[in-house]
Every structure is written in structure tokens, then in C-alpha cells.
Amino acid sequence: QSALTQPRSVSGSPGQSVTISCTGTSSNVGRYNYVSWYQQHPGKAPRLIIYDVINRPSGVPDRFSGSKSGSTASLTISGLQAEDEADYYCCTYAGNYARVFGTGTKVAVL
Amino acid sequence: EVQLVQSGAEVKKPGESLKISCKGSGYSFASYWIGWVRQRPGEGLEWVGIIYPHDSDARYSPSFQGQVTVSADTSVTTAYLQWDSLKASDTAMYYCARRAYGAYDFAYWGQGTLVTVSA
């Protein structure tokens, strides 16, 4: 399966909102409500910030939110903070235990 | 506390074999699928495969099928990723991960194992 498509980069000033899209197909993102999002700072392991499209694990700030429409999922960061500068990856279940990651998006805080 | 602790960095030559490990603790190891994720230098995350330690049911990404083998030993609560013949293109950080919240998330991650393949 091909990687999910994400914008290469997005940026915003502190306090602003940014949205990252994640486009798949009707066989993966469009079929299953199992999209998760990961934040990765340089040199660190990824961190789960959204699971099952819209749910936040405990400890994740509520400025992170997820949604999905058709074959495109989205992550919105509201009230952008300096520590949100990182790479973000979406991931979907694709059937038969398979997962597919997105291409990754670098978020810059101006 | 759930922990996944991976083996240390490796430097190998092309054609050599390698087996890296991921030791789980703080939970019922046999009951949770453990996945493997590759990240080449400066690149994104790629799903390699996944294994259910209870019965060693393993599934692979088509891109990795036949290139690697995933295994697990419940007696030592450890999952493994192995190569029979490494290539330079296998140079990457490899992470193991486990779900926690939904059915298909990766909530717990190992610290990563850097594999460098160079002549």
C-alpha cells in the first residue's frame, strides 16, 4: 500500500491554529475509523497524540484534535505553542492487521 | 508500568545477518501485538510488520515481506526483528511499539535501535 499523503510542512505563529491533512483511499482511511496521529521531536521516538480518528490519550493537551471526512483525516493544533514544533505522522489501519503511515509533516512555529 | 526496551545500536557489513530485540515488561507480554517500524535517516515512518506473541502469528508489510522476519519468545517476553542478509538500504532506526487505547494505535514505543550497514 502506498503511504498516506501529507503536506511536507505547515507553519504558524504562537497562538494560531494549523491543520494537517492526511489523504488515503477508500480502502484504508475511508474504510476504517482507525486513524492515529504521532508527534516526533528530533532524536526521539514517536508519541501517540490521537487514536481512532478523534480520541486523545491521557496527558495529551486538548489543543490537539482529530477529524475525518471521506478518505482524508486531519489533525488540528489550536493555540500553537513553541513545543509543538515537531514532525507529525498519521497512520491508518488498512485491513488484515496492516498499517500504513503518512509521509510526515514538519510543523514550524514562527 | 509498560516498558519496551530495545537492544543497542549495531554496525554491520552488507551480507551479514542480524537480530535485534524488544523486551516488554509491566504487562501480559503474550496478549498484545507488537509492531515494528522503520525510519531511515531523515525520512518518515514505515510499518514493517507485527506479531502476536501468544501464537507467533506474524504479518508483514508487502514492502518488507521476505526481507525480514519477526518473531517472539514469551519465555523471555521479547520480540525480535531479523535479517538474513543485510543491505546498505537497511540502514535505519527501528522501533518496536504496542497498542494501548484503541485496537490499532501504537501507544508504547521502544527507544529505537539504530542499524548501520556499511562496507
Side-chain angles (χ1 to χ4, degrees):
Chain A
Q1 298 218 20
S2 299
L4 309 177
T5 300
Q6 298 181 231
R8 185 174 295 272
S9 64
V10 299
S11 62
S13 300
Q16 288 187 329
S17 294
V18 296
T19 296
I20 302 168
S21 61
C22 168
T23 302
T25 69
S26 58
S27 299
N28 47 50
V29 175
R31 174 174 284 188
Y32 303 103
N33 288 321
Y34 295 130
V35 176
S36 51
W37 289 90
Y38 301 86
Q39 176 192 63
Q40 187 180 34
H41 287 107
K44 301 292 189 182
R47 171 197 180 200
L48 177 70
I49 56 173
I50 295 288
Y51 69 96
D52 294 354
V53 179
I54 61 171
N55 297 302
R56 272 178 291 106
S58 57
V60 173
D62 60 6
R63 64 177 182 275
F64 292 94
S65 62
S67 63
K68 192 185 87 166
S69 177
S71 298
T72 297
S74 299
L75 172 72
T76 297
I77 310 173
S78 306
L80 201 60
Q81 298 186 7
E83 60 261 36
D84 299 333
E85 186 160 291
D87 293 326
Y88 291 81
Y89 296 90
C90 59
C91 181
T92 186
Y93 178 67
N96 196 28
Y97 300 93
R99 275 61 156 180
V100 180
F101 280 98
T103 50
T105 299
K106 184 175 294 292
V107 170
V109 181
L110 304 174
Chain B
E1 179 195 6
V2 173
Q3 283 194 314
L4 297 173
V5 178
Q6 298 185 231
S7 50
E10 301 275 1
V11 179
K12 292 289 190 179
K13 291 182 167 45
E16 292 187 329
S17 63
L18 176 64
K19 192 173 191 177
I20 63 175
S21 65
C22 169
K23 183 172 176 61
S25 63
Y27 71 98
S28 177
F29 177 78
S31 301
Y32 289 83
W33 290 83
I34 286 190
W36 288 93
V37 176
R38 181 175 80 176
Q39 187 168 38
R40 285 173 165 156
E43 297 187 13
L45 304 175
E46 299 173 271
W47 182 72
V48 174
I50 199 161
I51 187 164
Y52 189 53
H54 174 69
D55 59 6
S56 291
D57 184 5
R59 309 298 174 101
Y60 297 89
S61 161
S63 301
F64 291 89
Q65 182 81 47
Q67 308 304 309
V68 298
T69 301
V70 173
S71 60
D73 184 341
T74 56
S75 68
V76 291
T77 65
T78 300
Y80 303 95
L81 178 65
Q82 71 179 79
W83 296 258
D84 290 336
S85 181
L86 286 159
K87 308 180 191 66
S89 57
D90 293 319
T91 294
M93 182 72 81
Y94 292 86
Y95 294 101
C96 62
R98 199 214 89 175
R99 76 165 184 85
Y101 296 93
Y104 301 107
D105 58 84
F106 288 129
Y108 296 105
W109 291 73
Q111 82 276 22
T113 295
L114 180 61
V115 174
T116 302
V117 184
S118 174

